Amino acid sequence: MSASKLPIREAMRLRSLSLYRKLLRGAMRMPTPNRRNFIIRKTQAEYRAKMHLTDPEEIDFHLRLADSNLDTVLVQAEHLSKLVDDPEEQKDI
C-alpha cells in the first residue's frame, strides 16, 4: 500500500518513526560523545513527551519541528566535525 493510501494516523506514525530514526542517526554523526549523548537524550525525551498526542494538527506541528531539528543536527554535525578535524581550529579550542 502506498503512503498516499494509508490512513492519516498511520502515515503520521510512519513519518514520526522515520524522523526519530534519522535524528538518532544524525546524533551518531556528532564528533563528541557529549554532543551525541545530548541529542539522543533530547530526542528520546521529546518523543516520549509527545507520544500521547491525538490531535492531527498538533502532531503535524511537532513533526515539522522535528524535521527542522533534524536539519539543525545534520548541519551542526558537519560543522563540528570540520572543527574537530582541522588542526588550525584545535589551536583556538
Side-chain angles (χ1 to χ4, degrees):
M1 183 179 291
S2 70
S4 62
K5 294 182 182 180
L6 289 175
I8 291 174
R9 292 177 67 84
E10 181 65 14
M12 285 186 168
R13 187 182 77 79
L14 292 175
R15 182 175 162 211
S16 175
L17 289 172
S18 175
L19 278 169
Y20 181 78
R21 285 189 214 104
K22 287 176 183 178
L23 280 161
L24 294 180
R25 284 188 202 115
M28 298 312 292
R29 295 172 64 178
M30 287 291 173
T32 63
N34 285 344
R35 189 70 184 151
R36 190 174 321 140
N37 291 332
F38 170 77
I39 293 169
I40 290 170
R41 285 192 314 270
K42 180 75 171 164
T43 299
Q44 290 171 336
E46 289 294 324
Y47 269 76
R48 285 185 186 124
K50 309 292 189 283
M51 70 188 297
H52 300 294
L53 295 178
T54 57
D55 178 23
E57 288 182 19
E58 190 175 2
I59 293 169
D60 186 59
F61 168 79
H62 287 290
L63 289 175
R64 284 185 278 119
L65 185 61
D67 200 30
S68 177
N69 288 340
L70 173 61
D71 291 340
T72 301
V73 165
L74 296 176
V75 168
Q76 285 182 1
E78 182 179 350
H79 176 72
L80 293 173
S81 293
K82 286 179 184 177
L83 287 176
V84 168
D85 293 340
D86 187 357
E88 288 297 313
E89 293 294 334
Q90 290 294 322
K91 292 177 189 176
D92 297 332
I93 296 179

